[in-house]
Amino acid sequence: MSVFCKSITAANVFPQTLQTIHECVYSEGSSLRLKQQGMEFTVWVFRHAAVHQLKAMGPAVLKQGMEFTVCVFRHAAVHQLKAMGPAVLKLKAIGPRQCLR
């Protein structure tokens, strides 16, 4: 995946780009690291893909990515609040693996 994140060509091969992002981020067999790399590739694609490619795949990636993004931010927020002290927030923190399933 690190090679794809440096390739303009990889950012512009539709529908394989969309399929690669989906498999990395949403596949049950994906490790946490592969999910992270899939999100990095998503950012790379949005920065470097041609406009016609983004018009074709942008809505699908955004729709699927919203759930993932909300979960990641929720996880970060809970940990930030817990770092402020146990009196501030007495919740059982969710782990990143629970979010990324």
Side-chain angles (χ1 to χ4, degrees):
M1 285 308 300
S2 61
V3 173
F4 285 171
C5 290
K6 297 174 185 174
S7 170
I8 301 294
T9 302
N12 286 289
V13 181
F14 184 78
Q16 289 84 357
T17 299
L18 185 58
Q19 184 178 9
T20 301
I21 291 168
H22 185 270
E23 289 297 317
C24 288
V25 176
Y26 300 104
S27 177
E28 285 186 31
S30 292
S31 66
L32 182 58
R33 179 68 182 136
L34 186 57
K35 290 176 190 291
Q36 291 169 337
Q37 289 177 324
M39 290 306 292
E40 290 172 17
F41 183 55
T42 303
V43 171
W44 174 263
V45 169
F46 282 150
R47 286 186 179 163
H48 298 286
V51 173
H52 71 279
Q53 295 287 11
L54 292 175
K55 284 182 181 178
M57 71 179 166
V61 172
L62 287 176
K63 182 179 176 185
Q64 293 175 348
M66 286 307 295
E67 180 182 319
F68 178 82
T69 304
V70 167
C71 190
V72 169
F73 282 120
R74 182 176 59 225
H75 173 73
V78 167
H79 280 283
Q80 181 66 33
L81 288 171
K82 285 187 80 67
M84 292 177 183
V88 175
L89 184 65
K90 292 188 177 189
L91 290 177
K92 182 179 178 184
I94 56 172
R97 294 192 191 279
Q98 292 168 320
C99 264
L100 301 176
R101 283 188 215 167

